[in-house]
Amino acid sequence: MTELTKTDFRLAAMLKRAAVFASAMVLLASCYDIFYEPVFVPEEGSSDYIPYDKEVIPAEGDTCWFYRELNRIVVKAIDPSEEIYPYRWKLLIDGNMVQENTREYLETYSKEVMEWWERRTEIKWMDNAILFEVPVNSSVDERSVEVMVSVSNGLYNSEQEDDWGEWFIVFEGTQAGKGYPDEMMPSHSLEKSQANIFEPVRIDMHKCDEATNLWWYKSKGICDSLVWSIRGFEDTKVIMGHGHETIYFGHLFTHPGEIESVLSAYKDGKVVYEDVQNITVTNEKDFLMFDWEEIVSGTAEGGSYHNAFDDNRWFSSGVSCKDGNPVVVFNWNNWEDNSEEENRRILREYISHIYGEPVYTEKSEVEAQWAGLFVRRDDRYRPECIWMTETSAVALFYVYNELTETGDWKIIAEPLRK
């Protein structure tokens, strides 16, 4: 055999080996590509194979497993009788990983082999089961639970991400939020079920028996903050939040009617729970918070009536009795906006809400009635309107103080003359 012939054979052999190697690489690459892109294949009656499938995992947490064989989910173009591949899985709650694991192998069998196995034994094929612990959900909100799997190209515990296929979901469900009985939720109480307008009422916040303070509700995930309000009114008072808490406080209800006192629990800007207490607010005195005989007898005193919502805004009153003629002067105080027009508007709207619209509004009528109804007049007073009740004459007036060169609007009330 000539050297040329030997060279031809060597070259042919090399080409043949290269062709075999190339064919093997193509086959191998095709298999790896399949592992990189596994396909979820639902089986008929698959809900029987997956605990909590389309169900809710309890808030107390549980040990769950995905035991439908992974080879029934990872479908390969080649259906070998048996092959071994590493795989990894992870548990995510609300998109955050809380548990992960890598398995040394993934045994894949044909569907026929698995059906034969299940016919021969009552025990399900568990070698490839994924066991995961769902922790306690202390929040009142439900959360998502996912288990994801990634199959390797055959290199166990490879640190190269390129050696692993993409993640795909094998389990998807929800976990219930922590439910608390009503007696463990935020609540409050009012010391009275009935009060007259401007009568002080103490309001207490109740703590859960397990709590040392109101922040227990936040630590348990029930709410981020607690806010007190009166149904139908815009003002609110923060009870818990912004670094402080209020255990009790006093409030003066200024509007009569069946009032709802509301303690709202907020989480993520939304109301998740409300505790509602009712109180009947009456308007049974001669004028707002006073009976005339109390002033005559000297048992009534004026003062400031701060509400629970804002220390910068409040009503106030002054009482006096001269020659048996009682009088009340009622004011609105606002340190933030002490404008004359704002004080006038608030006083007129408030008295109209309590006693209806004023009876006398025309300037001539007001001036004529002013002289006959009110004893405690002053040349500096400029009345604007007059209300009439069964027991009282009430007027809105403006007074100018030359000494301070400032003026203000006030309400004056006197008993009707007999």
Side-chain angles (χ1 to χ4, degrees):
M1 184 178 293
T2 65
E3 288 298 323
L4 180 59
T5 305
K6 291 180 180 178
T7 301
D8 290 341
F9 273 109
R10 291 193 192 100
L11 180 59
M14 291 174 63
L15 291 173
K16 182 177 181 180
R17 284 195 295 271
V20 171
F21 180 76
S23 299
M25 290 303 294
V26 170
L27 178 61
L28 194 59
S30 65
C31 292
Y32 291 165
D33 288 343
I34 296 300
F35 292 127
Y36 277 100
E37 298 179 1
V39 181
F40 180 78
V41 181
E43 293 289 329
E44 184 178 355
S46 62
S47 60
D48 295 333
Y49 288 90
I50 307 176
Y52 307 111
D53 183 30
K54 297 181 180 179
E55 296 180 8
V56 178
I57 300 171
E60 292 74 18
D62 205 349
T63 301
C64 308
W65 58 88
F66 178 84
Y67 67 90
R68 182 172 52 174
E69 297 72 32
L70 292 180
N71 63 289
R72 290 194 170 190
I73 298 170
V74 181
V75 176
K76 303 196 309 296
I78 300 175
D79 187 15
S81 61
E82 181 175 347
E83 293 192 20
I84 298 177
Y85 298 95
Y87 70 97
R88 58 185 179 174
W89 63 269
K90 59 184 177 181
L91 168 66
L92 298 96
I93 294 181
D94 278 347
N96 301 311
M97 186 176 67
V98 297
Q99 188 179 355
E100 62 178 335
N101 197 0
T102 301
R103 294 292 298 272
E104 185 173 357
Y105 62 88
L106 167 61
E107 295 185 5
T108 59
Y109 295 89
S110 67
K111 183 177 180 180
E112 291 74 16
V113 172
M114 290 310 305
E115 290 176 348
W116 172 83
W117 176 270
E118 291 178 2
R119 286 196 301 269
R120 291 181 59 86
T121 177
E122 296 180 356
I123 302 176
K124 298 294 182 183
W125 189 257
M126 298 294 288
D127 283 353
N128 297 325
I130 293 177
L131 191 69
F132 55 96
E133 295 281 345
V134 178
V136 173
N137 182 11
S138 60
S139 169
V140 294
D141 298 329
E142 70 175 24
R143 57 188 186 180
S144 65
V145 179
E146 294 178 334
V147 176
M148 304 185 74
V149 168
S150 171
V151 182
S152 172
N153 61 10
L155 300 175
Y156 177 62
N157 274 348
S158 173
E159 296 181 358
Q160 299 297 322
E161 192 64 26
D162 291 342
D163 293 332
W164 293 93
E166 295 184 4
W167 291 99
F168 65 103
I169 297 174
V170 296
F171 173 83
E172 192 171 22
T174 58
Q175 183 182 17
K178 178 68 174 177
Y180 293 95
D182 287 346
E183 58 268 21
M184 294 180 68
M185 298 299 284
S187 63
H188 70 303
S189 63
L190 283 64
E191 67 171 329
K192 304 172 184 177
S193 60
Q194 179 173 315
N196 199 72
I197 52 175
F198 292 95
E199 181 180 348
V201 177
R202 173 171 165 144
I203 301 174
D204 288 273
M205 302 296 117
H206 295 289
K207 306 172 186 178
C208 174
D209 291 340
E210 299 181 26
T212 56
N213 52 48
L214 295 177
W215 287 92
W216 181 88
Y217 296 113
K218 184 172 184 178
S219 68
K220 292 300 180 181
I222 293 176
C223 62
D224 299 322
S225 61
L226 293 173
V227 176
W228 179 75
S229 63
I230 301 172
R231 187 85 76 194
F233 292 83
E234 295 182 357
D235 290 328
T236 60
K237 179 180 179 64
V238 176
I239 302 301
M240 183 199 78
H242 306 300
H244 74 276
E245 66 177 49
T246 300
I247 303 303
Y248 67 89
F249 58 93
H251 183 68
L252 305 169
F253 294 91
T254 56
H255 290 67
E258 299 298 325
I259 305 297
E260 288 187 344
S261 171
V262 183
L263 180 64
S264 301
Y266 281 83
K267 185 171 184 181
D268 298 327
K270 298 179 180 178
V271 176
V272 295
Y273 185 81
E274 281 189 350
D275 179 60
V276 180
Q277 303 295 329
N278 298 311
I279 181 171
T280 300
V281 181
T282 60
N283 177 29
E284 297 178 345
K285 301 225 173 194
D286 289 330
F287 176 70
L288 298 181
M289 67 292 289
F290 299 111
D291 282 324
W292 296 122
E293 62 183 25
E294 295 174 338
I295 299 176
V296 172
S297 63
T299 59
E301 296 181 357
S304 297
Y305 309 99
H306 290 268
N307 63 73
F309 300 116
D310 190 348
D311 289 336
N312 293 321
R313 301 172 297 157
W314 71 97
F315 287 113
S316 63
S317 69
V319 301
S320 63
C321 184
K322 184 177 181 181
D323 299 328
N325 296 309
V327 63
V328 175
V329 177
F330 187 66
N331 309 279
W332 170 250
N333 307 274
N334 188 341
W335 283 356
E336 295 176 342
D337 182 11
N338 193 29
S339 69
E340 295 180 7
E341 182 56 32
E342 179 69 4
N343 290 351
R344 170 190 170 279
R345 181 189 66 81
I346 289 178
L347 287 171
R348 178 160 181 163
E349 288 182 357
Y350 178 69
I351 297 299
S352 294
H353 178 84
I354 300 297
Y355 298 114
E357 292 300 316
V359 176
Y360 305 107
T361 57
E362 296 295 331
K363 183 177 181 180
S364 58
E365 290 182 330
V366 171
E367 290 179 350
Q369 295 297 328
W370 173 256
L373 293 172
F374 294 88
V375 175
R376 306 285 290 277
R377 300 187 305 275
D378 191 299
D379 292 339
R380 299 172 301 159
Y381 294 174
R382 297 291 180 266
E384 179 180 276
C385 58
I386 297 175
W387 293 263
M388 302 296 296
T389 74
E390 294 181 358
T391 60
S392 307
V394 183
L396 173 66
F397 70 95
Y398 179 79
V399 59
Y400 181 76
N401 189 326
E402 294 182 353
L403 182 62
T404 61
E405 296 184 345
T406 59
D408 201 2
W409 288 89
K410 300 175 181 290
I411 295 290
I412 188 171
E414 294 186 19
L416 289 180
R417 308 304 168 192
K418 296 181 180 179

